Amino acid sequence: MSERPPAVIVDHVTKEFKLYRDRRTSLKELVTTGRPSRYERFRALDDVSLVVPAGSTYGLIGSNGSGKTTLLKLMAGVHRPTKGTVKHNGRVSALLELGAGFHPELSGRDNVYLNGSILGLSRKQIAAAMDDIVEFSGLRDFIDTPVKVYSSGMYVRLGFSVAVNLDPEILIIDEIIAVGDEEFQRRCFDHLYKLRKRGVTIIFVSHSMPLVQTLCDRAAWIDKGVLRAEGPPTEVVDAYLATINQAERERLDSTGATDLLSEDEDTTGTGRRGSGEIKVTRVSFLDAQGEPTLAAATGEGVTVRIHFAAREPVNDPVFGLAFHTENGVLVSGPNTEFAGLRLGTLDGTGFIDYTLDPLPLLPGNYLVSAAVTDRTLLHVFDYRDRAFTLTVQPGSSPDRFGLVALPGRWSTVRRTEDEPLEALS
Amino acid sequence: MAHVVELWRYRGLIGNFASRELKSKYKHSVLGWAWSLINPAATLAIFTVVFSTIFRAQPPAAHNGMTSYVVYLFIGLVVWNFFNNIVNGNMAALVGAGSLLKKIYFPPYAPVLGNSLSALVQTAIEFVVLLGVLLGVGNGWWSFLLTPVLLALLLVFATGIGLIFALLNAFYRDVSYLVGVVLQLIFYATPVIWPPDLLLAHRHGELALHVLQVSPLYQFVEAFRDILWRDVVPSPSRWGWLLLASAVSIGVGLVVFIRGSRDVSEEL
């Protein structure tokens, strides 16, 4: 595989688009202004160079509008680079939009022929693949119906089936994995895996970092038209996430934090109740260095600080927290009583910290409730239901599925003797 | 050379664009394909009433001596429609393929050439009807066998022009409107509804005729009338002019189009 020439070579590619200020030029304008058009130049890609090795699966990541799709289009030959060159070795099959070439009035079968020929295949080649395509799409009963009656899911299934079953050499996919139902998605992945094993080069854009990390051999991160990182997917994804997290923290710190920290009376939560002898005035989050933050990272340290104010001396209050997911699942509800703490009599103002190191919550937004009750947990002094938000970002934990990273360990594989093999059949 | 290879490789696509157009054209109309004949038939009827009945235009006698204006007009109209459909259709075909060209690479001439092919199929149907009429009125002669040759030449000639305007139209959408106006002018400058002899009755008629005869379309219409009305083989000079015009048209059209369409996907 290594002797094959690279599938795609992108060499110092710059792409500029014309941005028409008010749509396009008319002849009248041409005559009156004497200039062909009034537009600004927009640089979508700036001196990007990268090599996609043959047979590799290559991921492109980056924020919206960063130039990923432009790069795909250049690789697919849809646009020409303004400067630099793009070279291919192999036939390109591009999926920049599934079912792009479908004509609504034609039957599924006719559209397969049309789409296949757009991808540069002969009628014979398409006819040979027709059964596989129909089978894969699962649309046998509808293949001779006009595609305009298809649901959007069916449309996409047929489009994907055509592109992947027509024996591509280089497959270019723009964010299509997220389409179709669960069952079809799995079939897509299965198929991509098969293509990959067969040595097909796959280039795709995705916003799903786990997908990029699991599927890709290499990845590139494009930011505002510039290639920021290129290499093994984990490194590239990490670099990308680090920047995103940084930006989000800055945004939260500058906007959200001040709002929330100055807040005393409950406005954001779903409810506040209690007799009020002692109150939770606010909740803040601190990172491992003890700096206030609103965003924590999985696997790294975070401290939840509950600030209180007591109107009168309160005997042995209990502080509690509850972490909810955004759709309402209670992940955990720790309190000082369960932890076996006796706090004694509290008066005036102060705070108590609850430290999680490492934070087991997986990335997402969590709603945090804070409460102070008596020791029976029955009398509520103050209960602020889901009044605070903790944003958890991907951190050092390798876990991806579920809500929490369990503190488990895997053993090495050990062989067993004398297991009856009949159990397998 | 690379372009020839590419053209060959994408021949299936050109064919598919043509069949896509033909198949979807009259879907959901009750009369379906009948419309492709009703339309020219209506034009034929209108022109016949206006020019033959009201203005008393009279064509020169046909080979069998008949002077039926309807049949004479029919020949001219079928030829004109073919040219007109290709030039207008080519422009629409490129713009129509725009959303596709932005997503998948294929040569932009494919939808344009596909459109020309679908126009050919339509015209072929009209010709079958026309030939039936000619046989019916007893004006058939073996010269009609030259029809496919002339049709092929006209296809090539019209497509060359269509390619250039399709490209221009992609950059300046005004072009299609402008072409609509110009085509109307050319229609009346071509002996479709009027027999050339009619001009000679006027004072500067002969001069005007000399000028108009330069137009390849004039020659195309008259060449078709040679083989279908007068039942003679067109003169060598007429053949020469048609061959030259077709070769130049398609040559220039393809070169200009391929050169100019490299970034056309950004303009659609």
Side-chain angles (χ1 to χ4, degrees):
Chain A
M1 204 144 66
S2 53
E3 309 100 59
R4 284 162 68 192
V8 182
I9 303 172
V10 177
D11 188 21
H12 294 285
V13 162
T14 295
K15 179 66 187 171
E16 286 178 346
F17 286 107
K18 298 170 193 169
L19 283 186
Y20 293 96
R21 260 180 237 145
D22 187 12
R23 204 35 210 145
R24 70 181 46 248
T25 5
S26 61
L27 275 180
K28 180 183 148 213
E29 200 182 343
L30 181 69
V31 171
T32 52
T33 65
R35 274 184 299 145
S37 50
R38 277 191 292 157
Y39 55 80
E40 290 159 34
R41 295 205 152 264
F42 168 71
R43 187 163 283 200
L45 286 176
D46 193 359
D47 198 29
V48 171
S49 295
L50 52 86
V51 172
V52 180
S56 69
T57 303
Y58 200 95
L60 287 177
I61 58 174
S63 344
N64 288 328
S66 59
K68 302 181 300 286
T69 300
T70 304
L71 184 55
L72 279 194
K73 285 188 172 184
L74 290 172
M75 285 179 171
V78 172
H79 294 325
R80 283 192 316 157
T82 313
K83 265 185 248 160
T85 55
V86 176
K87 283 199 197 95
H88 308 101
N89 290 301
R91 191 164 41 75
V92 176
S93 182
L95 279 180
L96 292 167
E97 190 181 298
L98 285 176
F102 287 176
H103 191 289
E105 297 288 353
L106 298 186
S107 73
R109 190 183 301 278
D110 284 340
N111 271 308
V112 170
Y113 277 108
L114 183 64
N115 230 351
S117 59
I118 288 173
L119 296 174
L121 288 131
S122 71
R123 202 171 170 82
K124 220 191 269 170
Q125 286 171 297
I126 302 167
M130 184 58 90
D131 275 344
D132 288 341
I133 292 169
V134 174
E135 190 54 47
F136 187 85
S137 66
L139 296 172
R140 187 166 292 286
D141 297 342
F142 298 94
I143 198 67
D144 290 309
T145 337
V147 297
K148 64 172 180 181
V149 304
Y150 283 21
S151 71
S152 51
M154 290 160 75
Y155 210 82
V156 157
R157 290 164 78 123
L158 190 61
F160 188 86
S161 309
V162 172
V164 298
N165 283 295
L166 289 178
D167 196 25
E169 289 167 14
I170 303 170
L171 187 62
I172 294 180
I173 310 175
D174 192 3
E175 289 211 62
I176 48 100
I177 312 292
V179 297
D181 55 26
E182 181 71 27
E183 187 249 341
F184 186 71
Q185 272 192 40
R186 286 187 199 170
R187 215 142 17 116
C188 290
F189 282 122
D190 257 18
H191 198 84
L192 288 181
Y193 188 73
K194 264 187 233 155
L195 290 177
R196 200 175 130 174
K197 270 213 309 214
R198 221 161 61 197
V200 175
T201 310
I202 303 172
I203 304 167
F204 74 98
V205 160
S206 181
H207 287 293
S208 161
M209 295 306 132
L211 193 66
V212 172
Q213 285 178 319
T214 42
L215 214 60
C216 293
D217 303 310
R218 281 183 89 75
W221 165 30
I222 314 264
D223 185 32
K224 299 192 183 81
V226 180
L227 184 69
R228 288 282 295 268
E230 203 269 343
T234 31
E235 286 170 28
V236 176
V237 167
D238 282 351
Y240 171 62
L241 286 181
T243 311
I244 297 293
N245 291 353
Q246 179 66 26
E248 185 172 357
R249 267 196 207 107
E250 275 162 21
R251 191 172 52 80
L252 286 177
D253 286 351
S254 63
T255 58
T258 44
D259 284 16
L260 212 71
L261 290 177
S262 63
E263 176 197 64
D264 182 26
E265 290 312 305
D266 182 52
T267 49
T268 57
T270 48
R272 184 173 195 177
R273 58 195 168 89
S275 54
E277 291 87 342
I278 180 169
K279 282 186 171 178
V280 173
T281 52
R282 62 192 170 99
V283 166
S284 56
F285 303 104
L286 312 175
D287 61 19
Q289 285 74 44
E291 295 296 318
T293 179
L294 276 184
T298 308
E300 282 150 35
V302 67
T303 294
V304 185
R305 178 164 290 179
I306 307 167
H307 299 260
F308 64 83
R311 209 162 53 193
E312 54 196 64
V314 177
N315 210 21
D316 279 338
V318 172
F319 286 96
L321 287 169
F323 296 89
H324 291 86
T325 65
E326 277 180 312
N327 37 29
V329 176
L330 174 60
V331 181
S332 185
N335 65 42
T336 54
E337 178 65 18
F338 294 164
L341 290 178
R342 292 286 288 272
L343 302 182
T345 304
L346 297 183
D347 199 1
T349 58
F351 62 80
I352 183 166
D353 285 348
Y354 176 69
T355 299
L356 281 160
D357 192 10
L359 174 66
L361 294 176
L362 291 180
N365 286 322
Y366 293 87
L367 300 172
V368 180
S369 310
V372 50
T373 65
D374 74 349
R375 283 198 63 201
T376 65
L377 307 182
L378 293 174
H379 180 78
V380 176
F381 296 120
D382 190 18
Y383 185 92
R384 300 185 66 172
D385 187 21
R386 281 166 269 181
F388 312 96
T389 305
L390 175 64
T391 304
V392 178
Q393 296 162 340
S396 55
S397 170
D399 274 12
R400 281 180 206 141
F401 302 134
L403 297 174
V404 293
L406 295 176
R409 274 180 295 114
W410 292 99
S411 77
T412 56
V413 173
R414 281 169 219 163
R415 317 283 306 193
T416 50
E417 311 287 328
D418 305 330
E419 286 282 347
L421 283 170
E422 300 86 73
L424 292 174
S425 54
Chain B
M1 192 59 212
H3 290 303
V4 178
V5 173
E6 192 180 56
L7 183 67
W8 180 248
R9 191 159 88 87
Y10 281 98
R11 67 192 186 281
L13 179 59
I14 296 170
N16 271 326
F17 269 117
S19 76
R20 156 171 124 157
E21 208 172 302
L22 291 170
K23 278 185 187 167
S24 60
K25 191 157 189 172
Y26 296 108
K27 276 257 168 105
H28 296 285
S29 55
V30 177
L31 296 180
W33 272 87
W35 281 113
S36 71
L37 293 176
I38 294 172
N39 254 323
T43 320
L44 196 60
I46 293 165
F47 280 135
T48 303
V49 169
V50 173
F51 292 98
S52 170
T53 317
I54 302 175
F55 289 110
R56 310 238 165 249
Q58 226 193 354
H63 180 67
N64 68 352
M66 68 167 177
T67 54
S68 157
Y69 181 79
V70 179
V71 179
Y72 183 82
L73 174 65
F74 196 175
I75 299 169
L77 212 52
V78 169
V79 174
W80 171 262
N81 279 346
F82 187 35
F83 176 77
N84 188 55
N85 288 347
I86 286 183
V87 174
N88 278 319
N90 281 1
M91 288 189 290
L94 185 58
V95 172
S99 61
L100 205 49
L101 272 168
K102 287 183 178 198
K103 281 160 200 134
I104 311 176
Y105 171 78
F106 56 88
Y109 55 69
V112 178
L113 299 187
N115 171 264
S116 290
L117 282 188
S118 82
L120 179 66
V121 173
Q122 287 235 45
T123 297
I125 296 170
E126 291 173 25
F127 262 97
V128 169
V129 176
L130 174 60
L131 293 176
V133 169
L134 288 172
L135 286 176
V137 296
N139 194 40
W141 190 54
W142 65 264
S143 61
F144 84 89
L145 289 173
L146 287 169
T147 307
V149 182
L150 275 180
L151 263 184
L153 277 181
L154 182 52
L155 173 76
V156 165
F157 173 75
T159 303
I161 291 173
L163 279 166
I164 292 174
F165 284 113
L167 184 66
L168 285 174
N169 186 53
F171 289 95
Y172 306 103
R173 297 297 154 82
D174 310 48
V175 168
S176 63
Y177 303 107
L178 193 66
V179 167
V181 175
V182 172
L183 279 176
Q184 249 184 52
L185 280 177
I186 298 176
F187 175 74
Y188 286 100
T190 307
V192 178
I193 49 170
W194 48 269
D197 295 348
L198 208 67
L199 261 189
L200 294 175
H202 289 262
R203 205 147 57 92
H204 301 295
E206 204 167 342
L207 176 68
L209 210 56
H210 276 298
V211 174
L212 295 178
Q213 274 174 347
V214 176
S215 157
L217 270 178
Y218 186 110
Q219 299 299 330
F220 268 115
V221 171
E222 282 300 285
F224 275 101
R225 293 231 171 92
D226 278 344
I227 62 169
L228 299 175
W229 181 260
R230 289 180 281 273
D231 291 353
V232 295
V233 176
S235 67
S237 64
R238 182 160 276 163
W239 277 116
W241 185 220
L242 293 183
L243 273 169
L244 180 69
S246 304
V248 169
S249 168
I250 196 70
V252 172
L254 276 175
V255 169
V256 167
F257 190 87
I258 288 173
R259 288 261 171 87
S261 68
R262 280 181 293 202
D263 289 323
V264 80
S265 60
E266 291 168 40
E267 301 287 341
L268 291 165

